[in-house]
Amino acid sequence: MLNERLHLKTSLLAMAIFTFFGFLAYNTPLGGDDWAWGSAFGEEQWKNWFDNYNGRYLSNSLVIILAKVQWLRVLFMALISTMLVMLIGRLGSQHQEGRMRTAIALILFLIVPVNMFGQTFGWLSGYVNYVFSAVLLLMYITINNKFLDAEEPQKFLRRDFLLMTLLGLLTPLVVEHVTLFIVFTSFLTILYTLIRFKKLYAIHLTYTVASIIGTVLMLSNRAYAGLFGGQASYGRVVYADRPDMFFDIFKESITPILFIDSYAIHMVLSGLMVLFLMQKGTDGKKPKVFLKYGTMSFFLGVIFFFLVIRPALGDYYLGEFTEDAEALFFIFYFLALSGALFVFSTETKNRTRFAFYAIGVLLMTAPFSVLYPYGPRVAFSAYVFLVMIGTELALQIISKSGISNRMTRMPLYSTVAVLTMFYAFTIWMNGHTDRTRIAKVQNALQNDPQTVEITELPYPQYHWMPTPLPGNSHIEHYRNYYGIPDSTDIIVQPYFPAPR
């Protein structure tokens, strides 16, 4: 009876999350590349099977379909977003812990930087490439999660083999850096099980072979030959012609997006690390005492940096040395975070889990020390691993604090309620405005007008190129998608009147 109640509560939570993300999806306007994929450009690429474009065969095909069929788009985005959060919840073994883990994960995803939200959850093309690939990866991690808690070799069901084969074949066909990561992870999993259980699992070999086949299929596209000559349509390899080039890329591209813009999750992680370290003993050993309190002070300094130093002193508080100093600061921050979790975690399974999550952040970012460009949507994969670190860390702190689940649930669910209401209002405003302006354009086109007016969205920062502004490279695709003749001028009006 108790298990049935727990299952029911978990199902109700999943339904609530699905409804929320479905509402966001319904109100998310198409933008940028979406108009291209949904018009003649997408059909042409599909006919040529994306030859010399890229090897994202699965995600490209999905975007073409979803850009044309709204109900399917809403269903897909609601389902994938729910899986994104619930799969992290599944990493816990108990239903009660799973619901708390899910709530924490949802909070951490909802404090994502606005520019990252706009290029993932708020943009169909970015969503299919970066959120969908993260869910495929989480499915693989969830299946393998049993190894972290097991003391003896584990058995797999036949359905696990089928699912792992499909995941291995399909995940590489979504986005490149995730493709590289899963191939590495598949070999890492084989090595881990060999060391721990002295056993080689057929399911892991199956996934590895399938992922290699998928990777070869992706990279067989002619577009990737152009990476090394800077001719690819979406990126290029940056050659290190001087020793400090990698550091320059890190400070100019990665630090601002993954650390500075993502300040909210790093403040949460720093606060959690202080609480985590407060619960740990030192056995009276002076080196460990120094390490514990020194690390705690550093994480308090990280919070002070975001709360006080940057707001008070501005972006260039050290002049020309600011970018270098911040890059070094966050390199040390990541090393301190990873090192403290490894040193002060008392159980081997927790050390292993935190080490894997830290490796995930590193490997989802490392390719962009030579690949260009690096943007908020690309950083989302690393952000997912930060969410997993924060979720696991919070659960461990709560379990050791002695605080009852009832006392913990109230602040968690209240925070979820506030954040979901904020996003529901903001994205609904954008969706309502988009539906209204499209209807006005369609009505105006019946009279063969010389001009049509469209209104900007009230909060365009939550989406990617949602309005075809003058000079926007996608304005022709916007015309094709909505059937606006070339002879009709498009005039964009601001949503909010200009201040006097």
Side-chain angles (χ1 to χ4, degrees), residues 27-103:
N27 286 284
T28 296
L30 298 178
D33 293 346
D34 301 341
W35 303 318
W37 287 117
S39 57
F41 171 83
E43 295 176 2
E44 181 181 346
Q45 289 294 335
W46 205 349
K47 289 178 182 178
N48 296 329
W49 198 231
F50 314 106
D51 180 48
N52 204 28
Y53 186 75
N54 63 39
R56 302 177 183 181
Y57 300 110
L58 177 58
S59 56
N60 290 345
S61 301
L62 280 172
V63 173
I64 290 173
I65 296 170
L66 297 177
K68 294 175 179 290
V69 186
Q70 185 189 32
W71 69 266
L72 189 59
R73 178 167 71 245
V74 172
L75 180 62
F76 176 85
M77 295 178 75
L79 178 62
I80 295 302
S81 295
T82 303
M83 290 179 66
L84 176 71
V85 179
M86 295 298 294
L87 282 171
I88 294 179
R90 284 282 303 275
L91 295 177
S93 57
Q94 302 296 324
H95 283 285
Q96 181 62 45
E97 179 186 283
R99 294 201 305 277
M100 291 177 60
R101 188 186 297 269
T102 299

Side-chain angles (χ1 to χ4, degrees), residues 258-319:
L258 189 58
F259 294 102
I260 300 298
D261 291 346
S262 304
Y263 66 91
I265 193 169
H266 293 298
M267 288 179 63
V268 171
L269 288 175
S270 296
L272 290 173
M273 283 303 300
V274 172
L275 297 175
F276 174 77
L277 291 169
M278 287 175 63
Q279 295 178 337
K280 301 300 177 181
T282 60
D283 301 325
K285 298 178 180 178
K286 289 185 178 180
K288 204 166 185 179
V289 170
F290 176 80
L291 181 63
K292 173 182 175 177
Y293 290 103
T295 308
M296 285 174 59
S297 299
F298 174 75
F299 285 115
L300 288 171
V302 173
I303 297 173
F304 184 79
F305 169 80
F306 285 120
L307 281 179
V308 179
I309 294 179
R310 267 192 146 257
L313 302 183
D315 293 343
Y316 294 98
Y317 47 89
L318 294 178

Side-chain angles (χ1 to χ4, degrees), residues 130-182:
Y130 300 99
V131 181
F132 180 49
S133 63
V135 168
L136 294 177
L137 180 58
L138 282 172
M139 291 174 69
Y140 170 75
I141 293 172
T142 302
I143 294 172
N144 281 310
N145 184 57
K146 62 176 68 178
F147 285 105
L148 296 179
D149 299 324
E151 298 298 331
E152 297 179 356
Q154 296 294 296
K155 294 182 178 180
F156 285 94
L157 301 175
R158 184 176 298 177
R159 68 184 183 190
D160 292 330
F161 275 88
L162 177 61
L163 182 57
M164 290 284 261
T165 302
L166 289 174
L167 287 173
L169 290 171
L170 296 179
T171 306
L173 306 179
V174 180
V175 69
E176 292 79 10
H177 64 294
V178 174
T179 299
L180 298 175
F181 179 81
I182 65 165

Side-chain angles (χ1 to χ4, degrees), residues 413-480:
Y413 292 161
S414 298
T415 304
V416 168
V418 171
L419 288 171
T420 52
M421 285 190 291
F422 167 78
Y423 275 99
F425 170 78
T426 303
I427 305 304
W428 174 81
M429 285 284 289
N430 287 342
H432 175 71
T433 304
D434 186 58
R435 288 188 294 273
T436 301
R437 68 184 185 179
I438 291 172
K440 288 182 177 179
V441 168
Q442 297 299 328
N443 289 334
L445 289 177
Q446 296 178 8
N447 300 320
D448 194 23
Q450 292 184 343
T451 62
V452 292
E453 291 186 357
I454 60 173
T455 305
E456 285 189 284
L457 302 185
Y459 311 110
Q461 64 270 34
Y462 286 89
H463 309 286
W464 181 245
M465 295 185 184
T467 302
L469 299 171
N472 188 309
S473 59
H474 291 286
I475 193 166
E476 294 306 316
H477 297 306
Y478 184 86
R479 288 181 180 277
N480 293 333

